[in-house]
């Protein structure tokens, strides 16, 4: 085994610390969270840090694996807490989708997601334009 110079060891240590810092940020998020704390029924209070860890875990796992998400979030969040939070998010998504459908009839401008299902009325309009 060859002996390494102090410079190469110093460079490796610097690289390793940078890598470790970036890994922690990906895993746990940053302290400058845009998410706010909130109460989720029936008994879950979610801090902004817990939400950062939740969304980070959700990106790695599936919503179908709340057990793994619960382990990643930590902070004594149970599988039931994670399932309740996912349910709140899905209900919110359904409510927003319902608002978009209602606003199409009222000519109210709405910020649309990048991909969505269009109404039959829109398809007919496109057919006429073609």
């Amino acid at each position: 085994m060859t002996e390494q110079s102090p410079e190469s060891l110093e460079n490796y240590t610097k690289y390793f610390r940078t890598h470790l810092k970036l890994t922690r940020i990906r895993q746990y998020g940053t302290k400058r969270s845009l998410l706010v704390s909130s109460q989720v029924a029936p008994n879950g209070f979610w801090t902004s840090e817990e939400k950062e860890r939740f969304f980070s875990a959700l990106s790695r796992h599936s919503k179908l694996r709340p057990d793994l998400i619960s382990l990643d979030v930590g902070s004594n969040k149970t599988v039931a807490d994670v399932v309740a939070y996912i349910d709140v998010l899905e209900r919110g998504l359904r409510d927003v989708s319902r608002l978009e459908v209602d606003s199409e009839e009222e000519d109210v401008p709405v910020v649309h997601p990048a991909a969505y299902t269009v109404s039959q009325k829109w398809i007919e309009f496109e057919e006429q334009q073609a």
Side-chain angles (χ1 to χ4, degrees):
M1 191 165 163
T2 62
E3 210 171 296
Q4 294 183 354
S5 70
E7 291 171 353
S8 66
L9 186 57
E10 185 177 314
N11 287 339
Y12 172 77
T13 303
K14 183 179 176 182
Y15 173 79
F16 178 74
R17 286 186 179 150
T18 302
H19 175 72
L20 186 60
K21 180 180 177 181
L22 293 174
T23 301
R24 285 184 178 149
I25 288 171
R26 278 192 298 274
Q27 178 74 25
Y28 301 112
T30 62
K31 296 294 182 193
R32 293 172 272 138
S33 176
L34 299 176
L35 300 170
V36 295
S37 300
S38 61
Q39 184 74 32
V40 177
N43 61 352
F45 180 78
W46 287 77
T47 65
S48 59
E49 291 83 14
E50 289 170 334
K51 287 181 178 182
E52 287 277 350
R53 292 193 302 264
F54 169 84
F55 286 110
S56 178
L58 186 60
S59 70
R60 284 191 307 281
H61 308 296
S62 162
K63 72 176 187 175
L64 302 175
R65 292 301 308 266
D67 55 329
L68 298 177
I69 295 171
S70 166
L71 290 173
D72 283 1
V73 171
S75 303
N76 298 320
K77 290 295 178 208
T78 64
V79 174
D81 292 330
V82 171
V83 169
Y85 191 50
I86 290 171
D87 185 52
V88 165
L89 294 173
E90 287 179 336
R91 277 186 282 147
L93 180 62
R94 282 193 301 271
D95 291 345
V96 168
S97 298
R98 204 171 304 123
L99 287 174
E100 288 178 357
V101 170
D102 293 343
S103 67
E104 285 178 4
E105 297 166 2
E106 301 170 6
D107 289 332
V108 176
V110 176
V111 176
H112 291 288
Y116 58 95
T117 304
V118 296
S119 67
Q120 185 61 35
K121 188 176 176 181
W122 181 261
I123 293 171
E124 290 168 5
F125 171 75
E126 284 186 331
E127 291 295 327
Q128 287 176 349
Q129 295 300 311

